[in-house]
Amino acid sequence: MILIEKIYHHSHAEVTKVDQIDRFQTNDGYVTTRQVLAREIGADGENCFYKNADGKRKKVVATKDDTGAWHLKTIGTTDADQDGLLDLPHMDNVWG
């Protein structure tokens, strides 16, 4: 199981869409890019989750668009601007 704990965004601008997130940190301390994580979830059907503000686990899914790019979103989210992944704490520093 993968549990996403933190997000990293390269610029100082506010993150308003999941596709703006550069990297994710998982509960095992591993840091991976959005595209790699999405590809892993999409290919393997892994159980990937994050905890929302209420402490409830929400499932993360990945879809591939017509251009072959992977996109992440949480199940039950219809508005990409309100996805709970955006509310995760930000990583201070990212190495690698």
Side-chain angles (χ1 to χ4, degrees):
M1 182 191 80
I2 298 170
L3 181 64
I4 298 171
E5 292 195 332
K6 294 182 181 177
I7 60 175
Y8 176 79
H9 176 57
H10 186 69
S11 81
H12 295 293
E14 184 182 357
V15 183
T16 57
K17 294 193 183 308
V18 174
D19 286 348
Q20 293 172 309
I21 298 170
D22 295 316
R23 298 176 194 273
F24 292 93
Q25 180 178 318
T26 55
N27 60 323
D28 57 4
Y30 186 68
V31 176
T32 186
T33 65
R34 175 178 44 81
Q35 287 286 341
V36 169
L37 181 65
R39 191 171 62 233
E40 285 178 5
I41 295 169
D44 300 335
E46 289 279 351
N47 290 322
C48 183
F49 302 92
Y50 81 100
K51 282 187 182 171
N52 67 9
D54 299 328
K56 296 191 174 161
R57 212 181 268 172
K58 302 283 278 181
K59 188 160 174 61
V60 180
V61 293
T63 55
K64 196 182 211 183
D65 66 19
D66 295 338
T67 65
W70 285 98
H71 304 280
L72 288 168
K73 72 173 189 173
T74 53
I75 286 185
T77 302
T78 54
D79 183 358
D81 297 343
Q82 299 297 320
D83 196 297
L85 288 170
L86 300 174
D87 296 329
L88 287 170
H90 287 247
M91 286 181 258
D92 293 331
N93 294 302
V94 161
W95 304 103

